[in-house]
Amino acid sequence: MNHLTKMKKITYIIIVFCVFVSNAQNQIPGEKQNESTLFQNAKIVTVTGEIIEKGHLGISQGIIDYIGTSAPEKQYINKINLNGKHIYPGFIALNSTLGLVEVDAVRASDDESEIGIFNPNIRSIIAYNAESKIVETMRMNGVLLAQVTPRGGVVSGSSSVVQLDAWNWEDAAIKTDEGIHVNWPSAYSRGSRWTPGPRTLSPSTTYLSNVERIKSVFHNAKNYLNDTNKEDLRLRSMQGLFNGSQTLYLHLNNKRQIQDASSFFKSLGIEKVVLVGAREAHLIPEFLKEHNILVVAAHPHRLPSSEDADVKEAFNLGKKLDEAGVVFGIDVRGQMERMNTRNLPFYAGSFVGHGLSYNTAVKSLTINAAMILGIDDKYGSLEVGKSATFFVSEGDALDMRTNIVHSAYIDGRELELVTHQTKLRDKYLEKVERNN
């Protein structure tokens, strides 16, 4: 193939790509709620209170202003009879990279990590793509809010909370730079898969030196508070950890990591500490409760953590944490995590299938997640005075057979529940009907 032919082929590909992009835009975000609406005859899962059968829920100006078993005295402009459908608070995806990567194989669409080891000044929110085609698929299963989290390095940067129906990242942002993410080194290492013989676990020879590097960085950050003669963007970006305005998210798994990392950061006076992953958190519940540590637990749709682990280890984690009295949300990280984040309610459902109470499972997606993110004053439950961010399901939202979302609202704005997949579904249903 000569040079001219190659250039023509490249030009053709670019034109096709541009045409595809121009015709693949997301739907327009919902309009601000101007008229009051009353939802009648619904099963209302309030989360923080009792489940209300055949209840009424009223919203005005994006706020819930009535919940009850009988019709309110206030007259609402719009009334919707849900005929027994279920109302849930919007589910919240924790530790997600939604909007940061569109296609894994296309480097130009991957903005989840930065070059370098210590990057506390990196802000994930400015890389968030509200036009992501993946984001719109979340709403079809009731996932309406997300924590957008950077990846990579030892200190990855800051995460922010977004709502999933926006024009751009500024519109999407609910709470910016709410936490700093640290990947604590592993205390154990496993032989290479190419090394002959079994891949047995052994103590890591670099663990202590890697920990000392982290300690040095955070000691410097704390001392920076009292140093007025030096300007360091990285150290300044970490000050919220020490004054209580930011949360420290520790990404780790085993018991030694949890104890070493939590003890160190607590000794520095960092009060808001959340464990992410934490597959062995249930082994030290007294330690977690003593230090007031919350957990974003690894989701159950994964392999066991080791060869000799219980085959149901991942599915039993939710029940074990609950029995230990640990407050937890659910981590969505894993293979194809952005696409699979839409399965968040089914992660909770899998925990229920292995002994976790239904109410606790719903809390892990709603009020617990909101508490972890510090937005529980407005989101995470259905209460008078909170944001009208919820969805209506045909049935149980934790069951993939009945989680058929009828409608969804963010701050009272009704969302357009249309995706590329729903368009294909409707297209081929039409084809079947024509053939019949």
Side-chain angles (χ1 to χ4, degrees):
M1 185 183 294
N2 59 40
H3 178 71
L4 181 60
T5 304
K6 286 183 178 179
M7 290 301 297
K8 286 181 178 179
K9 184 175 182 179
I10 292 172
T11 302
Y12 173 77
I13 292 172
I14 292 174
I15 292 173
V16 170
F17 176 78
C18 291
V19 170
F20 170 77
V21 170
S22 67
N23 288 287
Q25 297 174 354
N26 282 11
Q27 59 264 29
I28 297 174
E31 295 184 9
K32 182 178 179 180
Q33 184 197 12
N34 294 316
E35 297 181 343
S36 60
T37 301
L38 178 67
F39 298 87
Q40 302 172 304
N41 191 24
K43 182 175 182 178
I44 304 174
V45 184
T46 63
V47 177
T48 51
E50 296 294 326
I51 294 177
I52 302 174
E53 302 284 351
K54 297 182 179 180
H56 297 70
L57 184 145
I59 63 174
S60 299
Q61 300 300 316
I63 301 295
I64 298 172
D65 61 5
Y66 181 81
I67 296 179
T69 56
S70 58
E73 294 181 1
K74 175 181 175 178
Q75 294 299 311
Y76 288 81
I77 296 175
N78 301 308
K79 294 183 180 181
I80 302 175
N81 187 344
L82 293 179
N83 296 313
K85 294 181 177 66
H86 299 203
I87 300 180
Y88 291 84
F91 293 155
I92 304 171
L94 296 171
N95 187 36
S96 77
T97 51
L98 286 172
L100 299 184
V101 183
E102 194 68 7
V103 182
D104 289 302
V106 179
R107 183 64 184 87
S109 74
D110 185 338
D111 206 7
E112 69 176 357
S113 62
E114 188 55 85
I115 296 173
I117 303 299
F118 296 97
N119 296 306
N121 54 305
I122 295 301
R123 306 178 66 219
S124 63
I125 186 63
I126 61 175
Y128 175 71
N129 175 24
E131 287 288 335
S132 170
K133 301 298 290 183
I134 302 171
V135 166
E136 68 180 18
T137 66
M138 300 300 112
R139 305 191 291 257
M140 303 302 296
N141 282 350
V143 181
L144 305 183
L145 305 177
Q147 178 192 35
V148 179
T149 304
R151 298 279 191 255
V154 175
V155 182
S156 305
S158 67
S159 57
S160 295
V161 186
V162 298
Q163 52 87 5
L164 304 183
D165 183 56
W167 295 97
N168 48 47
W169 71 261
E170 290 97 334
D171 291 335
I174 290 175
K175 187 176 183 181
T176 58
D177 306 315
E178 47 80 30
I180 300 290
H181 293 256
V182 174
N183 298 296
W184 194 261
S186 176
Y188 304 95
S189 62
R190 189 185 297 274
S192 168
R193 68 178 60 186
W194 309 114
T195 303
R199 297 176 60 204
T200 57
L201 277 177
S202 59
S204 172
T205 58
T206 60
Y207 177 68
L208 293 179
S209 60
N210 289 336
V211 167
E212 286 304 314
R213 292 177 65 191
I214 296 176
K215 289 183 176 180
S216 176
V217 169
F218 278 86
H219 278 304
N220 290 338
K222 184 175 183 179
N223 295 334
Y224 182 78
L225 283 169
N226 303 316
D227 190 345
T228 59
N229 299 318
K230 183 171 65 174
E231 177 63 21
D232 189 309
L233 180 61
R234 293 191 305 169
L235 298 182
R236 176 155 54 86
S237 66
M238 301 168 71
Q239 297 311 297
L241 297 175
F242 300 97
N243 63 28
S245 62
Q246 286 183 307
T247 299
L248 177 68
Y249 293 94
L250 289 173
H251 296 247
L252 34 65
N253 278 312
N254 66 59
K255 184 169 66 172
R256 181 179 178 183
Q257 287 178 300
I258 294 170
Q259 292 174 318
D260 289 353
S262 301
S263 298
F264 167 66
F265 288 114
K266 287 291 183 177
S267 72
L268 288 182
I270 298 176
E271 293 301 321
K272 295 182 178 180
V273 176
V274 174
L275 307 182
V276 183
R279 299 183 183 187
E280 295 186 0
H282 63 284
L283 300 178
I284 47 174
E286 293 79 11
F287 177 85
L288 300 181
K289 286 184 283 187
E290 177 187 349
H291 293 87
N292 192 30
I293 296 174
L294 305 180
V295 175
V296 180
H299 70 74
H301 293 185
R302 57 182 172 84
L303 294 174
S305 56
S306 63
E307 291 91 338
D308 58 352
D310 181 354
V311 70
K312 296 293 185 181
E313 174 200 57
F315 293 92
N316 293 329
L317 180 59
K319 178 185 177 181
K320 289 181 178 179
L321 289 175
D322 187 42
E323 289 176 341
V326 177
V327 177
F328 69 95
I330 298 178
D331 182 10
V332 299
R333 187 170 187 172
Q335 291 185 332
M336 295 184 65
E337 66 178 75
R338 285 165 295 282
M339 290 65 78
N340 284 338
T341 297
R342 66 180 182 271
N343 292 327
L344 177 61
F346 312 137
Y347 295 159
S350 293
F351 281 144
V352 172
H354 290 79
L356 181 65
S357 73
Y358 185 83
N359 189 46
T360 302
V362 175
K363 283 185 176 180
S364 71
L365 307 178
T366 53
I367 194 64
N368 288 1
M371 288 171 56
I372 288 169
L373 299 174
I375 59 172
D376 52 304
D377 59 329
K378 295 180 65 177
Y379 301 94
S381 62
L382 299 178
E383 301 178 58
V384 172
K386 284 196 172 184
S387 168
T389 298
F390 60 90
F391 66 95
V392 178
S393 174
E394 296 285 346
D396 182 355
L398 305 191
D399 188 334
M400 65 176 63
R401 296 168 299 179
T402 54
N403 182 353
I404 303 171
V405 175
H406 171 270
S407 55
Y409 302 80
I410 294 179
D411 296 329
R413 306 188 317 272
E414 184 172 6
L415 312 185
E416 184 181 355
L417 298 177
V418 177
T419 68
H420 179 63
Q421 286 83 3
T422 63
K423 291 177 180 178
L424 287 175
R425 176 200 64 195
D426 295 341
K427 174 182 177 180
Y428 286 99
L429 282 176
E430 175 68 20
K431 180 177 184 290
V432 171
E433 290 177 1
R434 289 185 183 182
N435 290 339
N436 291 335

